[in-house]
Amino acid sequence: MAKRYVNKKGWWGILLHASWPTLLATGLIGLIFHLVRSSEAGLSALTAGIAVWVLSAVSVVLIAVIWKNHRNLAIPVAMGAFVAKMVILGFLLTVVPPPEWLHTTGAAIGALVAIIVWQVAEVVAFINTRRLIYS
């Protein structure tokens, strides 16, 4: 039987174990779009995936910092960070004009892949986090 991974680093471990698969998938989808469609499509997928990663990583870092000194605020901050991510992404999509080189399909799929991979990896890391983080 394989040894099961246990995250003993709390929020920092969640950040690490959600980051590497997201960045790997983002690079891979960027490369695929580059090879199959164009360099603009590859760059668009890569840029969108990195934007999703940055927003997700910032929210986990914020939660980790709050958790250290004010655990009672961690859940409200987590919910607020999630809402802020959605507002920022919505703002970027509707207000900021896209650069001429942006390939919309590449960017959309790059962002979607990063979101899905981040969420799955974050849930798996959270499930494998020692109960110590909860108490």
Side-chain angles (χ1 to χ4, degrees):
M1 188 167 170
K3 185 177 177 183
R4 185 174 164 164
Y5 163 74
V6 176
N7 173 23
K8 296 179 182 178
K9 296 181 180 177
W11 292 105
W12 301 109
I14 292 170
L15 174 65
L16 173 69
H17 291 288
S19 288
W20 73 262
T22 302
L23 293 172
L24 182 65
T26 295
L28 184 60
I29 199 72
L31 178 62
I32 290 169
F33 265 95
H34 174 75
L35 295 174
V36 172
R37 184 71 180 178
S38 67
S39 60
E40 290 83 10
L43 183 59
S44 298
L46 187 65
T47 301
I50 289 173
V52 167
W53 173 78
V54 167
L55 290 170
S56 299
V58 165
S59 66
V60 172
V61 168
L62 180 63
I63 294 165
V65 169
I66 296 295
W67 184 266
K68 185 174 181 180
N69 297 314
H70 305 285
R71 287 189 181 189
N72 59 324
L73 296 176
I75 298 301
V77 168
M79 297 306 296
F82 178 77
V83 171
K85 276 194 302 191
M86 296 302 111
V87 170
I88 291 169
L89 284 172
F91 176 78
L92 291 173
L93 290 171
T94 58
V95 177
V96 176
E100 287 214 11
W101 56 265
L102 186 76
H103 184 270
T104 54
T105 302
I109 293 176
L112 181 62
V113 166
I115 289 167
I116 291 169
V117 171
W118 177 275
Q119 290 304 313
V120 169
E122 186 177 45
V123 167
V124 169
F126 195 80
I127 287 169
N128 292 317
T129 299
R130 294 180 72 193
R131 291 193 185 268
L132 182 62
I133 196 171
Y134 307 66
S135 55

